[in-house]
Amino acid sequence: MALKSTLIFSVALIAGAMFVEDNAFAAAASSKQVQSEPISQYVPNAKLVGKGMFSYYFWDVYTGELIAPNGTYNNEPPFALRLTYQRDLEGKKIAKRSIDEMKKQGDVSSDNAERWLALMEDIFPDVTEGDVITGIATKGGKSVFYVNGEMSDEIQDATFTQRFFDIWLSEKTSEPKFRKKLLGEG
């Protein structure tokens, strides 16, 4: 009887260890944690300003993190905005929604809208849960984008940079509660 109990216990331990190991491996394989983003290359003494979950109706869409020098955002570059997606979205829809939000901030010419949309469609891939897109506004007004820690592209256009980040950070944003979270006020 003792031998049978020991054998059952050993099999249970091995099965449990395999389950834990398999789950750890699966988590590591599916994890899209970004460790290598060179935010500090663009943002000196980069520290978190604020963080929040952006939800649309009942769905969590992404977690946003605003990073700025010394953790203080003063409405001018350099700073970074990191979005960690909680659901699958098409890159073209992300780009289109971005243009729509940029237009809400103020007058955007049709030429700029078309050009910026094409640029963003090239930059933003289809995302799945856990994907991370980081946008960095550099001191010179350039936008640099990373997807899951890999550089995607950059846009050397100070007007684009201002309008793009105003989607989340302007007082005219369509999501003032989310803005407050990013600014560490909510």
Side-chain angles (χ1 to χ4, degrees):
M1 185 70 160
L3 180 60
K4 186 176 178 183
S5 295
T6 303
L7 185 58
I8 291 171
F9 180 73
S10 295
V11 169
L13 269 178
I14 291 168
M18 289 172 58
F19 176 78
V20 169
E21 185 176 295
D22 285 348
N23 281 343
F25 178 77
S30 69
S31 173
K32 296 174 183 173
Q33 293 288 335
V34 179
Q35 304 299 329
S36 62
E37 288 177 351
I39 291 173
S40 60
Q41 175 183 331
Y42 303 97
V43 182
N45 202 25
K47 292 195 171 42
L48 183 68
V49 176
K51 178 178 182 175
M53 176 66 70
F54 174 75
S55 300
Y56 186 74
Y57 292 105
F58 304 107
W59 300 282
D60 291 340
V61 180
Y62 51 74
T63 301
E65 298 170 282
L66 179 60
I67 300 151
N70 303 311
T72 304
Y73 175 73
N74 60 8
N75 200 27
E76 63 182 54
F79 58 84
L81 182 64
R82 179 186 297 144
L83 304 178
T84 304
Y85 285 83
Q86 307 300 306
R87 58 185 320 98
D88 299 356
L89 293 170
E90 293 177 30
K92 289 188 184 303
K93 288 184 179 178
I94 295 171
K96 176 70 172 108
R97 176 71 188 258
S98 297
I99 282 294
D100 292 344
E101 291 296 322
M102 292 164 89
K103 287 178 179 177
K104 289 179 186 178
Q105 299 297 318
D107 187 37
V108 173
S109 72
S110 59
D111 287 346
N112 277 344
E114 286 177 31
R115 187 168 50 86
W116 293 347
L117 178 62
L119 290 169
M120 288 188 291
E121 286 177 342
D122 287 342
I123 292 170
F124 303 141
D126 294 345
V127 295
T128 59
E129 182 178 351
D131 280 337
V132 178
I133 297 179
T134 302
I136 302 169
T138 70
K139 191 152 184 75
K142 174 173 60 173
S143 295
V144 182
F145 294 95
Y146 287 82
V147 177
N148 295 325
E150 299 291 323
M151 185 178 208
S152 177
D153 208 343
E154 55 185 52
I155 298 176
Q156 184 70 47
D157 182 337
T159 304
F160 169 85
T161 298
Q162 181 69 47
R163 291 295 179 93
F164 179 77
F165 289 101
D166 277 353
I167 292 170
W168 298 273
L169 301 173
S170 168
E171 291 180 1
K172 296 179 185 177
T173 182
S174 63
E175 299 296 332
K177 290 179 184 176
F178 184 65
R179 176 182 181 264
K180 283 187 168 194
K181 291 176 185 176
L182 291 175
L183 297 177
E185 299 171 356

